[in-house]
Amino acid sequence: MRELFVCLVCVASLAAADNTFLLRGATIHPVSGPEIRDGMLLVKDGVIAEVGTKVAVPRGVRVIEARGLHVYPGLIDSGTQLGLAEISSVRETVDTTEIGDFNPQLRAIIAVHPASEHIPVTRANGITTAVTLPSGGIISGQGALIHLDGWTWEQMQVQAPVCMVLQFPVIQTRQERPGARGPRPFSEAKRDYERRLQQLREFFEQARRYQKAKLAGSPEFRTDARMEAMLPVLEGKLPVLVHAVRERAIREAIAFAESQKIRLVLAEAREAWKVADLLKQKNIPVILGPTLELPLEEDDPYDKAYTLPAELHRAGVKFAFASFSTSFARNLPYQAAMAVAFGLPYEEALKALTLYPAQIWGVSDKLGSIEKGKWADLIVTDGDPLETRTQIKRVFIQGREVDLSNKHLRLYEIYSRRP
Amino acid sequence: MRRYALCLLASWALAAPPIVIRNANVLTVTKGRYQGSILVRDGKIVEAGPKVTIPPDAQVIEAGGQYVMPGIVDPHSHIATESVNEGSVSVSSMVSVEDVLDPEDIAIYRALAGGVTTIAVMHGSANAVGGQCTVIKLRWGRDARGLLFEGAPPILKFAMGENPKRRGSLPSLLPGVTVQPRYPATRMGVEDVMRQAFLEARAYREEWRRYEEKRQRGEPAIPPRRDLRLEPLVEVLEGRRLAHVHCYRADEILAVLRLSQEFNFRIPALIHVLEGYKVAREIAAAGAGASTFTDWWAYKVEAYDAIPYNAALMVRKGVLVSLNSDSAELMRHMNQEAAKTIKYGGLSEDEALALITINPARQLGVDKRVGSIEPGKDADLVFFDRHPLSNYAKVLRVMIEGQIYFDRDRDMSRRAELEARKKALLERAREREKKQAPARRRPA
């Protein structure tokens, strides 16, 4: 029995040692403050204990030499389908889109496939945390904030739910029904849009009635999974991530959120520049879609998608970058780089990959910068992580060093050796 | 009349003063990098080096340390065309993209603004033997004929794998709607369609040969009926038309290589070729080229083993490799795509840049004209504000044959004016609508 106890202690202390270390010699980019050259970073039990040019070092602590390298907080992708979709054209491997228009009860987190090949591929380029999102219908379900490491989805979970996903109704003449040819008449599309908008309002009203009934404690009250899922939204505890691409949808989403008194985060708002002042005034954050994207309109300036982040920054709107992808999630830093090429200050680009998403998702006490007390989600690089040519040398998630090997590297190594 | 216009054009070109680009960081791609100048005359590069002759009548472009590289060549795109796939049949070699070029596609200007000057406009991959494809220069503002890359060899598109077999196993999408499946439904069938087509083409060529022989001997001979479907295939067999083959998996790559050897034609570009790295040795040995994406993967089963090291691995095994966009969006930043081959697989800067310039030019058979900065070549040049392999690099100016087709400053300065014009047009349309509205309401 005592032997067993000793062993257990051994295991525990080994595990502790694993996520306790001193990283020194590197240039540390805390993001929340100025860079620290030849810095020291002490991590204890996965949490940043000290950071500075000189920190008190406990005896016997494991030292990681990182001279000439750079340390940044792990990058955050604020919109992906990581873990929910493997091969986009194979239905059996895609769990993003449920049948039905109102599914607030669906939880992305429980469908995250920890063995997805996309996860190690993505984190190998420095992305340590991602929001993974259901899609489809009007209310698609609950998004999850996950670490890109873990044996199970429970271990990967940072915060779930992190948002309720809503696809704001739009007038759409384009038909997505299989076999459909050509657009449908505008009048028909408009009727359909009005019907969907009405359904959305009614769904919220229904949820409010449910909330009241629950509070009243009526004996006839029956628990309803869909309505239960709406309660944190109505209470303003859970933000609603609203996909609204064009100006009209964005304005309507803002009005809707105000009338319903819900917390709004906009997603893929490509015409946000047309409503930037309003977004600033109402303090509504935006999750940007890819910067490397074609302009929406034929007569938009060729660089409209490239300049959107800079325009929002100038207007004072808070935003975070997202790939809205699985297989392209690893290229997230280059979405930010293109925004820098077209006018976004570099520091802001870096923040929109780290600190700002952490703030938007309400986890800035744990994530988003290199500060005492935050989780040691770190990437060690040989240069600026926004540049393609930079190599990511090491990745830590909550102080655990993460394997950078992945499907692509493995195949590369195998076929490099092919005679 | 047209000849007269051509004469006018020619005399205008002759009259254009020579251009000297000064103080540039020149990335020649084939001859290294230097700081200096480029002399352009009549649309051609005349001199390139630290010091060049400056003719007294020269127009001087002060580059001020900007980076100048050859115009980007994209060997596989579907922009500037009205249609992409003639997918109703499995052999559609009689159709040609050249007949449906759309010189007003805004994607042309957007690609220019990303530094692209030469592209292949490709037929799609819906069938085993696809349509004829054509190479154009992005001379934005010219008509369809004015876009054509004079003297570029024509191309025939072939496709292996999932796309061409898709129509063979169509699910019933709608109740009551039956869709006739189209052969082939398997990779076996795809290869068979190709072989049958080449056998037919060979027999057709033989018919013509026999006819010509008889005719030359003075014997009575009836010419065979022309077959527009087989003629392009005959051209491939005779090396007068380039075979570009869409493929993904190692097995199908090998199958088409062996087919090309059986019929004795070369494949200058295996397109996409995402598992090319698995059979790079065989590709190199067959003398075929490869044009790939850098990091697209997992969008279908045949792309699940795609790796971003593909380009570098094939380069190291001796394959002539290029990158292609297949996308109006991706083609706007091929320089950033090239940088990925440095990250994944460790290519040198020149090797990376070659993937988007001289190598695709060779695969398209236009490398004597474009793809590098060398005297004698077309003055197709891109000016970047930083090294083009940096993600922060921006295209400032693009020149084709000495003429500026994109200028960022000019683009920006015209925006307000264009916006105002658009507003005025919309206003006028609204006014007209108001005037006509009551009239329309009256019963006829």
Side-chain angles (χ1 to χ4, degrees), chain A residues 48-63:
Chain A
I48 296 164
E50 295 289 343
V51 56
T53 44
K54 199 102 195 116
V55 305
V57 181
R59 274 183 52 186
V61 74
R62 181 165 66 109
V63 175

Side-chain angles (χ1 to χ4, degrees), chain A residues 51 72 85 113 119 121 167 170 173 186 203 213 239 243 354-355 372 374:
Chain A
V51 56
Y72 296 84
H113 181 44
I119 291 168
V121 162
Q167 319 286 340
V170 290
T173 50
F186 180 81
F203 191 80
H243 286 260
T354 52
L355 195 53
K372 191 173 170 171
K374 286 201 185 189

